[in-house]
mmCIF file of all heavy atoms in Angstrom:
data_model
loop_
_atom_site.group_PDB
_atom_site.id
_atom_site.type_symbol
_atom_site.label_atom_id
_atom_site.label_comp_id
_atom_site.label_asym_id
_atom_site.label_seq_id
_atom_site.Cartn_x
_atom_site.Cartn_y
_atom_site.Cartn_z
ATOM 1 N N PRO A 263 249.648 48.022 68.277
ATOM 2 C CA PRO A 263 248.597 48.469 69.203
ATOM 3 C C PRO A 263 249.075 49.606 70.095
ATOM 4 O O PRO A 263 250.249 49.685 70.463
ATOM 5 C CB PRO A 263 248.302 47.204 70.031
ATOM 6 C CG PRO A 263 248.793 46.069 69.194
ATOM 7 C CD PRO A 263 249.963 46.593 68.434
ATOM 8 N N ILE A 264 248.134 50.480 70.399
ATOM 9 C CA ILE A 264 248.417 51.632 71.253
ATOM 10 C C ILE A 264 247.987 51.307 72.680
ATOM 11 O O ILE A 264 246.847 50.894 72.912
ATOM 12 C CB ILE A 264 247.679 52.879 70.741
ATOM 13 C CG1 ILE A 264 248.181 53.236 69.336
ATOM 14 C CG2 ILE A 264 247.866 54.049 71.690
ATOM 15 C CD1 ILE A 264 247.401 54.356 68.693
ATOM 16 N N GLN A 265 248.885 51.486 73.618
ATOM 17 C CA GLN A 265 248.594 51.210 75.016
ATOM 18 C C GLN A 265 248.515 52.526 75.783
ATOM 19 O O GLN A 265 249.375 53.396 75.621
ATOM 20 C CB GLN A 265 249.685 50.313 75.624
ATOM 21 C CG GLN A 265 249.824 48.958 74.944
ATOM 22 C CD GLN A 265 248.585 48.103 75.100
ATOM 23 O OE1 GLN A 265 247.887 48.189 76.121
ATOM 24 N NE2 GLN A 265 248.298 47.281 74.102
ATOM 25 N N SER A 266 247.503 52.642 76.625
ATOM 26 C CA SER A 266 247.347 53.849 77.432
ATOM 27 C C SER A 266 248.383 53.877 78.543
ATOM 28 O O SER A 266 248.719 52.837 79.119
ATOM 29 C CB SER A 266 245.942 53.913 78.037
ATOM 30 O OG SER A 266 244.966 53.994 77.026
ATOM 31 N N SER A 267 248.886 55.055 78.825
ATOM 32 C CA SER A 267 249.870 55.227 79.896
ATOM 33 C C SER A 267 249.222 55.907 81.080
ATOM 34 O O SER A 267 248.206 56.589 80.951
ATOM 35 C CB SER A 267 251.058 56.055 79.406
ATOM 36 O OG SER A 267 250.638 57.348 79.010
ATOM 37 N N GLY A 268 249.833 55.725 82.251
ATOM 38 C CA GLY A 268 249.274 56.284 83.472
ATOM 39 C C GLY A 268 249.695 57.715 83.698
ATOM 40 O O GLY A 268 250.192 58.397 82.804
ATOM 41 N N GLY A 269 249.519 58.165 84.912
ATOM 42 C CA GLY A 269 249.772 59.569 85.221
ATOM 43 C C GLY A 269 251.117 59.858 85.835
ATOM 44 O O GLY A 269 251.371 60.962 86.288
ATOM 45 N N GLY A 270 252.030 58.859 85.862
ATOM 46 C CA GLY A 270 253.360 59.129 86.393
ATOM 47 C C GLY A 270 253.456 58.829 87.879
ATOM 48 O O GLY A 270 252.581 58.203 88.478
ATOM 49 N N ARG A 271 254.549 59.269 88.481
ATOM 50 C CA ARG A 271 254.848 58.953 89.869
ATOM 51 C C ARG A 271 253.967 59.771 90.818
ATOM 52 O O ARG A 271 253.742 60.956 90.615
ATOM 53 C CB ARG A 271 256.314 59.247 90.144
ATOM 54 C CG ARG A 271 256.775 58.865 91.533
ATOM 55 C CD ARG A 271 258.289 58.805 91.577
ATOM 56 N NE ARG A 271 258.863 60.102 91.215
ATOM 57 C CZ ARG A 271 259.151 61.042 92.113
ATOM 58 N NH1 ARG A 271 258.893 60.844 93.397
ATOM 59 N NH2 ARG A 271 259.690 62.178 91.730
ATOM 60 N N VAL A 272 253.469 59.111 91.865
ATOM 61 C CA VAL A 272 252.656 59.787 92.875
ATOM 62 C C VAL A 272 253.582 60.443 93.881
ATOM 63 O O VAL A 272 254.465 59.785 94.450
ATOM 64 C CB VAL A 272 251.708 58.792 93.577
ATOM 65 C CG1 VAL A 272 250.920 59.503 94.666
ATOM 66 C CG2 VAL A 272 250.778 58.162 92.565
ATOM 67 N N ARG A 273 253.392 61.717 94.127
ATOM 68 C CA ARG A 273 254.239 62.461 95.047
ATOM 69 C C ARG A 273 253.492 62.737 96.340
ATOM 70 O O ARG A 273 252.274 62.745 96.390
ATOM 71 C CB ARG A 273 254.687 63.779 94.411
ATOM 72 C CG ARG A 273 255.587 63.589 93.200
ATOM 73 C CD ARG A 273 255.924 64.935 92.558
ATOM 74 N NE ARG A 273 256.894 64.777 91.486
ATOM 75 C CZ ARG A 273 256.561 64.447 90.242
ATOM 76 N NH1 ARG A 273 255.290 64.230 89.934
ATOM 77 N NH2 ARG A 273 257.493 64.317 89.323
ATOM 78 N N SER A 274 254.242 62.993 97.383
ATOM 79 C CA SER A 274 253.658 63.286 98.684
ATOM 80 C C SER A 274 252.921 64.609 98.651
ATOM 81 O O SER A 274 253.268 65.526 97.898
ATOM 82 C CB SER A 274 254.757 63.339 99.739
ATOM 83 O OG SER A 274 254.261 63.836 100.965
ATOM 84 N N GLY A 275 251.898 64.705 99.515
ATOM 85 C CA GLY A 275 251.137 65.943 99.592
ATOM 86 C C GLY A 275 251.867 67.050 100.332
ATOM 87 O O GLY A 275 251.430 68.186 100.348
ATOM 88 N N GLY A 276 253.007 66.710 100.994
ATOM 89 C CA GLY A 276 253.817 67.725 101.656
ATOM 90 C C GLY A 276 253.093 68.423 102.790
ATOM 91 O O GLY A 276 252.654 67.790 103.754
ATOM 92 N N PHE A 277 252.944 69.724 102.670
ATOM 93 C CA PHE A 277 252.377 70.541 103.737
ATOM 94 C C PHE A 277 250.969 70.085 104.119
ATOM 95 O O PHE A 277 250.621 70.048 105.305
ATOM 96 C CB PHE A 277 252.363 71.999 103.302
ATOM 97 C CG PHE A 277 251.636 72.903 104.247
ATOM 98 C CD1 PHE A 277 252.202 73.278 105.460
ATOM 99 C CD2 PHE A 277 250.362 73.363 103.940
ATOM 100 C CE1 PHE A 277 251.519 74.099 106.334
ATOM 101 C CE2 PHE A 277 249.676 74.179 104.809
ATOM 102 C CZ PHE A 277 250.266 74.553 106.018
ATOM 103 N N ILE A 278 250.162 69.736 103.114
ATOM 104 C CA ILE A 278 248.787 69.319 103.400
ATOM 105 C C ILE A 278 248.779 68.074 104.281
ATOM 106 O O ILE A 278 248.008 67.965 105.244
ATOM 107 C CB ILE A 278 248.023 69.051 102.094
ATOM 108 C CG1 ILE A 278 247.912 70.343 101.276
ATOM 109 C CG2 ILE A 278 246.642 68.489 102.374
ATOM 110 C CD1 ILE A 278 247.084 71.408 101.939
ATOM 111 N N ASP A 279 249.647 67.087 103.970
ATOM 112 C CA ASP A 279 249.696 65.881 104.775
ATOM 113 C C ASP A 279 250.096 66.182 106.217
ATOM 114 O O ASP A 279 249.576 65.573 107.160
ATOM 115 C CB ASP A 279 250.681 64.885 104.163
ATOM 116 C CG ASP A 279 250.101 64.177 102.946
ATOM 117 O OD1 ASP A 279 248.872 64.221 102.788
ATOM 118 O OD2 ASP A 279 250.871 63.598 102.156
ATOM 119 N N ARG A 280 251.027 67.097 106.391
ATOM 120 C CA ARG A 280 251.455 67.437 107.758
ATOM 121 C C ARG A 280 250.399 68.241 108.498
ATOM 122 O O ARG A 280 250.334 68.198 109.731
ATOM 123 C CB ARG A 280 252.766 68.226 107.693
ATOM 124 C CG ARG A 280 253.954 67.406 107.193
ATOM 125 C CD ARG A 280 255.265 68.149 107.423
ATOM 126 N NE ARG A 280 255.319 69.376 106.658
ATOM 127 C CZ ARG A 280 255.802 69.469 105.420
ATOM 128 N NH1 ARG A 280 256.240 68.376 104.810
ATOM 129 N NH2 ARG A 280 255.840 70.624 104.794
ATOM 130 N N MET A 281 249.580 68.967 107.768
ATOM 131 C CA MET A 281 248.568 69.798 108.405
ATOM 132 C C MET A 281 247.388 68.964 108.917
ATOM 133 O O MET A 281 246.791 69.292 109.949
ATOM 134 C CB MET A 281 248.058 70.836 107.396
ATOM 135 C CG MET A 281 247.005 71.794 107.946
ATOM 136 S SD MET A 281 246.413 72.926 106.673
ATOM 137 C CE MET A 281 245.542 71.780 105.581
ATOM 138 N N LEU A 282 247.060 67.882 108.196
ATOM 139 C CA LEU A 282 245.902 67.078 108.558
ATOM 140 C C LEU A 282 246.227 66.157 109.729
ATOM 141 O O LEU A 282 247.378 65.735 109.899
ATOM 142 C CB LEU A 282 245.449 66.252 107.352
ATOM 143 C CG LEU A 282 244.890 67.074 106.184
ATOM 144 C CD1 LEU A 282 244.707 66.213 104.947
ATOM 145 C CD2 LEU A 282 243.569 67.718 106.578
ATOM 146 N N PRO A 283 245.240 65.800 110.545
ATOM 147 C CA PRO A 283 245.486 64.937 111.705
ATOM 148 C C PRO A 283 245.885 63.524 111.293
ATOM 149 O O PRO A 283 245.468 63.026 110.248
ATOM 150 C CB PRO A 283 244.135 64.946 112.436
ATOM 151 C CG PRO A 283 243.133 65.284 111.382
ATOM 152 C CD PRO A 283 243.823 66.213 110.437
#
Side-chain angles (χ1 to χ4, degrees):
I264 297 174
Q265 299 296 328
S266 297
S267 61
R271 184 163 59 91
V272 177
R273 295 176 174 84
S274 170
F277 172 75
I278 297 295
D279 283 343
R280 293 192 296 270
M281 181 183 67
L282 293 169

